[in-house]
Amino acid sequence: MYKNKITQALLLGAGLTVAATSFTAAAADVPAGVKLADKQELVRGNGTEVASLDPHKTEGTPESHVIRDLLEGLVNQDADGNTIPGVAESWETADNKTFTFHLRKDAKWSNGDPVTAEDFVYSFKRAVDPATASPYSWYLEMTTMVNAADIIAGKKDKETLGVKALDDHTLVIELEGAVPYFVMMMGHTTVKPVHKGTVEKFGDQWTKPENFVGNGAFLIDSWVVNERIVLKRNEKYWDNEATVLNKVTYLPIENQVAEMNRFLSGEIDFTNELPNEHFKRLKKQHAESVSIQGNLCSYYYGFNNKKPPFDDPRVRQALSYTIDRDIITKALLGQGQKPAYFLTPEITAAFNPELPAYGKLSQKERNAEAKRLLEEAGYNSSNPLEFTLLYNTSENHKKIAVAIGSMWKKSLGVKVALENQEWKTYLDTRRQGNFDVTRAGWCGDYNEASSFLSLMQSNNSSNDPKYHSSEYDKVMNQALKSTSEEERQALYIKAEQLLAKDMPIAPIYQYVKARLVNPHVGGFPVNNAEDKIFSKDLYIKAE
C-alpha cells in the first residue's frame, strides 16, 4: 500500500530522523474477484447528534467520525493505524523539531480552489486564537509548536505561531522541543484545514450544507438535526477515482437497542455500539456481524476537584476504591473490556503500566479502606454523602451508572442521584464545571501515552475535573520535553502513580469497540486501535 515497508509513524515513534520520506497513498482497495454492489451507499450509526462540524469547535468522537470524511489533514491512517499521507505526500525532519511537509499539487477544495500550505497556516492559527475559543486548542500546545502556549494564554499574537508556508506546496512547522511522534499527531481533527474564504464569509454558518467547502472525499448533502447527516462524493477530491461509495449517511441514534433493531432490519450497515444486555444473544445468533476490536480508549468518572467534598482526595479515593471493576467488565459488559486502575490503556504503544497498590487489593479490602477514608473525611450513616452523577444520554451509560450507584450505596451508604443530558448540553455542563461527578471517556488522539496523561495537566482545557497539581504538571512537562523513550516511559509511570494517589478521576475500564457490521461492508478496519474509519476506504459488496 505504500513504498516503504517501515511506516513513517514507526520511524518517528522510535525517535529516528526521517528524510524525504515518500509514500504511495492507499484508498479503497477492492480485492480481485470481489463483486461490487450496484448501489454504493453506506448507512452508519453515530451515537448522538454532533455538536458541530467545525474542526476547531469540536471535542467529541461523534464529530470526528463525520469530519474525517469531510476534511483531510496532512496525514491519514490506514486500516492498521499506520500513519500515511493525506494532503502531504511526503515530509522530513532532521531533529524532530523542524518538520517540512510537501503538499500534493492535485489537492483541491470542493469549490475548485487549490489546497495550499497557507490554508494550514491559517487553520492552525485559527485553532490557537483565543477568539475562536476552540475546546481543543490545548492540542497544539501539546505539540510544543512555537508560541502556541503563549498565544492560547493571550500573551502573544497568533501571527507568531511556529508555522509558515515557504510556497504553495511547502509547509514548515517549528516546535519548541523535539517531539518524535509529531507527524502522528497531525492526523487529529483539530489540525484539519478549513477554507478561509468560506469561514470568513459565513462565520459560524459555514458548515451548513449550502455553504460548506471541504477538501475531503465527501461533502455535506443534507443535515437534519437529530435525524441524519447525508454526505455525497466530492468530485474535486484528489483521489476521487479511488473512492467507491457515492453516499454516506450518519444516524444519531443514542439508544443502542433501537440502533440494533435498525441494523437487524437492514437499515444500517454498521452500528456505533451494541446493547450490552443483548451481546451474548447477538454473538450466538449473528456471529458474522459482531465485531470486537481493541480500542485506544478509557472509561472513567471525573470528580469535580474544585467543589466540596470532592476537593478532598479521601472522598475521591473512597468512591474509586468501591467500584467493583470486575463486575462492570465481566458481568455487565463481558465483551473483553479490561478493568482500569490507571488512565492510559495497556494497548497504548510502548506503554508498560504498573498496577497501583489499590489495584492489588481484593474488592473486600478496597471496600474496607474506602469506608475508613470516607469516615475520616466526616461521612457516615448519620451524615451520608450525597451527590449527583452526570452522564450523557445512553442506555449503556445508564446501566453502568445504576450499577456503580448501587455499589456506593451498599458499601458506603452514599446517596446518588443520576442525571442524564443530551450530548451537546452534557459537554457544556462539564466544561463549565456544573457537576459533582461525571461519566467520561477519553480516546487517544495519537498512539502514545501523552495523549492520555496530558489530559490531567492544569493547562489542558479538556481537564474537566479541574485537577491542578504542580507536581503532576512538572512530571508531564519533563516527559513532553524528553527525547529519550526510556525516560519518557518512566515519567509516564510516575504520572500514573500521582493520579492513583490524588485520584482526580476514577478509571473504570479499558474499552473494546463492540459493534455490528454487515458482512457486505468491504474494507472495514479491524486493527485500527483508534477506530479511525475513512469512508473513502469502504465499499459495499454484492450480496
Side-chain angles (χ1 to χ4, degrees):
M1 285 164 48
Y2 28 80
K3 294 176 183 175
N4 309 59
K5 289 185 179 179
I6 303 177
T7 70
Q8 177 80 4
L10 291 175
L11 286 168
L12 289 172
L16 302 177
T17 298
V18 182
T21 304
S22 175
F23 302 83
T24 300
D29 185 13
V30 183
V34 171
K35 186 177 180 182
L36 294 173
D38 294 333
K39 188 177 179 180
Q40 288 297 319
E41 297 181 0
L42 178 83
V43 180
R44 60 178 288 184
N46 200 36
T48 190
E49 175 61 33
V50 298
S52 170
L53 289 179
D54 184 329
H56 306 145
K57 300 291 181 83
T58 62
E59 58 182 314
T61 301
E63 293 78 13
S64 289
H65 287 324
V66 186
I67 292 172
R68 200 171 291 126
D69 284 349
L70 298 172
L71 298 169
E72 183 169 79
L74 294 169
V75 297
N76 294 326
Q77 282 189 7
D78 68 11
D80 294 322
N82 298 309
T83 298
I84 60 172
V87 175
E89 57 186 359
S90 66
W91 48 84
E92 70 248 10
T93 181
D95 56 5
N96 286 324
K97 285 181 71 175
T98 299
F99 291 81
T100 303
F101 292 86
H102 302 282
L103 277 52
R104 58 180 79 252
K105 294 180 173 62
D106 54 350
K108 288 184 171 60
W109 293 98
S110 54
N111 67 352
D113 290 350
V115 178
T116 68
E118 196 57 51
D119 289 322
F120 284 91
V121 172
Y122 167 76
S123 298
F124 288 6
K125 289 178 178 177
R126 181 176 183 256
V128 296
D129 186 352
T132 304
S134 172
Y136 240 87
S137 60
W138 61 268
Y139 187 77
L140 280 89
E141 181 176 345
M142 292 303 129
T143 69
T144 78
M145 203 174 294
V146 168
N147 291 330
D150 284 343
I151 296 167
I152 293 166
K155 297 176 181 177
K156 289 186 179 178
D157 189 273
K158 66 180 179 181
E159 297 305 321
T160 66
L161 186 67
V163 56
K164 60 185 175 182
L166 295 188
D167 55 46
D168 282 352
H169 301 102
T170 310
L171 178 73
V172 177
I173 301 174
E174 301 277 356
L175 308 184
E176 292 173 356
V179 179
Y181 47 87
F182 175 75
V183 173
M184 207 187 295
M185 296 183 76
M186 290 296 97
H188 190 258
T189 302
T190 304
V191 287
K192 292 189 185 296
V194 295
H195 186 262
K196 180 179 178 180
T198 302
V199 172
E200 292 186 343
K201 180 178 180 180
F202 297 105
D204 288 342
Q205 304 302 307
W206 78 269
T207 56
K208 286 190 171 183
E210 61 269 26
N211 301 333
F212 186 82
V213 173
N215 73 325
F218 295 87
L219 295 169
I220 308 174
D221 188 35
S222 64
W223 183 358
V224 182
V225 175
N226 290 320
E227 185 178 314
R228 63 186 57 227
I229 296 174
V230 180
L231 310 184
K232 61 183 178 181
R233 280 170 74 128
N234 175 10
E235 301 294 337
K236 298 285 176 45
Y237 179 58
W238 66 270
D239 204 22
N240 180 54
E241 287 185 5
T243 304
V244 179
L245 294 174
N246 296 315
K247 179 180 176 182
V248 181
T249 301
Y250 286 84
L251 302 180
I253 307 171
E254 294 178 339
N255 184 292
Q256 289 82 21
V257 173
E259 187 183 37
M260 173 192 72
N261 289 335
R262 293 181 70 170
F263 174 88
L264 295 175
S265 68
E267 295 178 56
I268 297 177
D269 296 299
F270 65 88
T271 66
N272 181 58
E273 294 181 290
L274 50 78
N276 295 328
E277 69 274 24
H278 288 270
F279 174 72
K280 290 182 179 178
R281 178 181 68 84
L282 291 168
K283 187 77 174 168
K284 182 177 180 180
Q285 298 178 5
H286 301 279
E288 74 289 347
S289 297
V290 174
S291 170
I292 304 171
Q293 61 194 78
N295 202 197
L296 197 66
C297 300
S298 288
Y299 192 105
Y300 63 92
Y301 279 176
F303 304 111
N304 193 332
N305 285 231
K306 294 297 183 185
K307 183 178 182 181
F310 304 104
D311 57 347
D312 186 335
R314 295 172 299 184
V315 173
R316 303 194 297 261
Q317 289 170 344
L319 293 174
S320 177
Y321 290 1
T322 315
I323 298 172
D324 191 329
R325 292 154 175 86
D326 287 331
I327 287 179
I328 299 297
T329 55
K330 295 173 184 175
L332 202 58
L333 300 172
Q335 299 154 3
Q337 292 88 347
K338 289 186 176 181
Y341 298 95
F342 31 78
L343 175 58
T344 311
E346 293 165 83
I347 195 176
T348 306
F351 183 65
N352 296 299
E354 294 180 356
L355 191 66
Y358 82 96
K360 298 174 183 177
L361 301 175
S362 68
Q363 189 57 51
K364 184 178 180 180
E365 290 170 330
R366 278 196 290 270
N367 289 347
E369 177 62 7
K371 188 173 182 181
R372 184 191 70 78
L373 286 165
L374 201 61
E375 288 179 349
E376 192 177 285
Y379 295 95
N380 50 43
S381 57
S382 58
N383 181 36
L385 175 63
E386 299 183 27
F387 60 88
T388 299
L389 171 61
L390 173 70
Y391 65 95
N392 56 297
T393 304
S394 159
E395 284 302 309
N396 285 352
H397 296 329
K398 181 180 179 180
K399 289 181 177 69
I400 291 171
V402 169
I404 292 177
S406 177
M407 294 171 191
W408 284 336
K409 184 178 181 180
K410 180 180 178 182
S411 298
L412 301 174
V414 169
K415 297 180 179 179
V416 186
L418 303 185
E419 179 183 3
N420 72 295
Q421 295 179 349
E422 60 89 22
W423 178 248
K424 189 173 182 179
T425 304
Y426 154 83
L427 290 176
D428 289 341
T429 301
R430 271 193 357 189
R431 198 177 304 119
Q432 292 163 11
N434 295 329
F435 66 90
D436 295 330
V437 181
T438 178
R439 170 265 153 191
W442 190 259
C443 295
D445 297 317
Y446 49 95
N447 197 346
E448 216 265 348
S450 60
S451 183
F452 290 87
L453 294 171
S454 62
L455 178 65
M456 290 294 112
Q457 288 183 258
S458 301
N459 61 350
N460 192 317
S461 57
S462 291
N463 179 356
D464 294 325
K466 299 296 184 288
Y467 171 59
H468 292 172
S469 163
S470 57
E471 185 180 4
Y472 185 86
D473 290 344
K474 182 179 178 181
V475 169
M476 283 305 299
N477 286 332
Q478 189 179 345
L480 294 172
K481 291 176 181 176
S482 174
T483 56
S484 164
E485 178 73 26
E486 185 178 350
E487 182 185 28
R488 275 207 316 276
Q489 295 306 322
L491 289 165
Y492 292 152
I493 289 173
K494 188 173 181 180
E496 287 284 9
Q497 289 170 344
L498 288 172
L499 292 182
K501 177 174 72 76
D502 296 341
M503 205 66 75
I505 63 171
I508 298 173
Y509 68 83
Q510 299 172 27
Y511 282 64
V512 293
K513 190 62 184 181
R515 56 158 61 94
L516 295 165
V517 182
N518 192 308
H520 71 207
V521 177
F524 192 85
V526 294
N527 295 313
N528 189 303
E530 295 175 62
D531 197 41
K532 288 188 175 179
I533 302 168
F534 295 83
S535 297
K536 67 183 180 63
D537 298 337
L538 306 181
Y539 51 90
I540 304 298
K541 294 178 283 189
E543 298 286 356

